[in-house]
Amino acid sequence: MHPLPRIRIAHLPTPLEPMSRLTTFLGGPKLWIKRDDQTGLALGGNKTRKLEYLLAEALANGAQTLITAGALQSNHCRQTAAAAAKYGLGCILVLRNPEEEHEKTSDSGNILIDHLLGAEIVWAPPGQRDFILQQTFETAWVAGQRPYLIPYGGSNATGAAAYAFAVQELAEQLSTDDFSQMPDWIIFASSSGGTQAGFIAGKQALKIPTRFLGISIDEQKTAMQTGISELANKVSDLLHIPQATLPEDVLVNDEYLGEGYGMMGLLEKQAIRLFAQHEGILLDPVYTGRAAAGLIDLIGKKFFSSNEKVLFWHTGGTPALFAQKYASRLME
Ligand SMILES: *Cc1c(COP(=O)(O)O)cnc(C)c1O
């Protein structure tokens, strides 16, 4: 893979661990976990890897302010604010306004951290986020703040490329640790698609047989496949990987969308408890709880054969556990 300019902010390599008790409990395939919840940047998560490349690009362009956008609960915005603080850059986050009367900032586990990190927050009514993001960028530009725009989820080719390099990191760990073999499957939460696009490019570059199955958090399968294949091809161009990706090469399961984005259902609650009580590992209600719910359900349906190795790639999000709307339901 063609190297890219990079800064070092993530704690890498993230740990790779067996989940023996969960494997026994579920009576299924051999389960491992890759701990990208432990990337170290203000409580960690998958956006930290992407920011290593996005920040390098921003700094090379003389940026002085990072601007990005997301949901009230955005883990991407939290990690971007932390990266900005570490590099002495300004940070403006365009966050979607709480939609309903009863929805409050206490419904976010990240907003406190955004504040502590010194980010400026611009609220956008639902449906106007793109417009307000553009407006915020132009205002900052005119004011001479040298803004640099990071897309939703950090998911452009530069950000997504981080996950191609993450596949390489895993391959190197496997050659030195006790694991010795690539997993048959890697399961993870997929949303803006950057993580999955990077995984696909990395798989092609290293020519590994592992299948990367994204559990969709908020979108239908065909839309995911189209967007992710396009992004994977951009990552491949950037990293000089010759192979092209077609929509049908993108493995997505959209059967766990439940009541929609951020709506924690019974399956997510059960998955969070199972990981906590068998492995001492904390998932989150929005992303990894849903992906793990999918994994557990697929194991129950004998989707994997019992001698296969399945790696759950933890993408972070843990601060959401402390948002009132989830915490109170998890205590029930
Ligand atoms: C952003 C995020 C994801 C999804 O990653 P994408 O690259 O946007 O698909 C998964 N899990 C957590 C915790 C996230 O914050």
Side-chain angles (χ1 to χ4, degrees), residues 8-292:
R8 300 275 175 177
I9 41 174
H11 297 175
L12 302 179
T14 53
L16 175 66
E17 299 163 348
M19 295 198 286
S20 326
R21 288 199 66 230
L22 196 58
T23 299
T24 306
F25 179 78
L26 295 171
K30 257 195 177 49
L31 296 172
W32 306 341
I33 189 164
K34 176 84 169 141
R35 301 292 304 274
D36 273 18
D37 56 322
Q38 304 288 319
T39 52
L41 186 67
L43 302 178
N46 64 339
K47 305 311 181 303
T48 304
R49 286 189 193 265
K50 299 178 183 181
L51 285 162
E52 290 202 325
Y53 299 91
L54 292 165
L55 259 276
E57 195 173 271
L59 294 169
N61 283 301
Q64 289 170 2
T65 307
L66 303 180
I67 300 183
T68 196
L72 179 65
Q73 190 56 262
S74 172
N75 298 303
H76 162 66
C77 287
R78 169 191 23 105
Q79 290 161 86
T80 301
K86 189 165 171 63
Y87 278 82
L89 303 174
C91 181
I92 307 176
L93 304 176
V94 176
L95 299 182
R96 209 207 57 187
N97 243 346
E99 217 163 296
E100 295 160 34
E101 209 63 62
H102 64 268
E103 222 184 0
K104 297 184 294 293
T105 49
S106 59
D107 285 343
S108 164
N110 283 314
I111 200 86
L112 163 68
I113 308 175
D114 297 340
H115 276 287
L116 293 177
L117 294 166
E120 179 189 331
I121 292 173
V122 174
W123 296 104
Q128 286 191 42
R129 202 170 49 182
D130 284 338
F131 169 70
I132 291 186
L133 181 60
Q134 194 56 38
Q135 208 178 39
T136 303
F137 182 85
E138 280 160 21
T139 306
W141 184 263
V142 170
Q145 292 176 287
R146 305 207 59 142
Y148 175 87
L149 191 65
I150 297 181
Y152 296 103
S155 288
N156 57 16
T158 303
Y163 271 89
F165 294 118
V167 176
Q168 194 160 40
E169 174 185 301
L170 175 67
E172 282 161 18
Q173 270 178 316
L174 289 165
S175 65
T176 53
D177 286 2
D178 296 339
F179 298 92
S180 76
Q181 254 183 322
M182 268 289 166
D184 297 289
W185 293 90
I186 293 180
I187 312 292
F188 54 96
S190 198
S191 179
S192 70
T195 302
Q196 186 155 11
F199 277 152
I200 292 169
K203 167 185 161 80
Q204 291 171 346
L206 300 180
K207 300 183 170 44
I208 53 169
T210 304
R211 281 160 289 183
F212 290 81
L213 174 63
I215 305 293
S216 177
I217 299 306
D218 49 4
E219 243 193 89
Q220 302 299 322
K221 177 173 168 168
T222 48
M224 295 286 285
Q225 288 178 311
T226 307
I228 293 170
S229 58
E230 282 170 12
L231 186 53
N233 286 323
K234 288 182 191 156
V235 175
S236 293
D237 284 349
L238 192 63
L239 301 181
H240 304 184
I241 301 164
Q243 202 174 331
T245 301
L246 300 171
E248 58 265 35
D249 299 331
V250 181
L251 305 182
V252 175
N253 184 316
D254 65 357
E255 286 164 31
Y256 303 99
L257 301 178
E259 305 278 301
Y261 180 82
M263 306 299 283
M264 182 178 61
L266 189 62
L267 284 183
E268 286 90 2
K269 269 175 76 167
Q270 286 170 341
I272 291 170
R273 280 181 201 284
L274 274 184
F275 272 65
Q277 295 177 13
H278 291 83
E279 297 293 337
I281 290 173
L282 300 176
L283 301 177
D284 82 285
V286 182
Y287 296 95
T288 55
R290 180 160 291 176

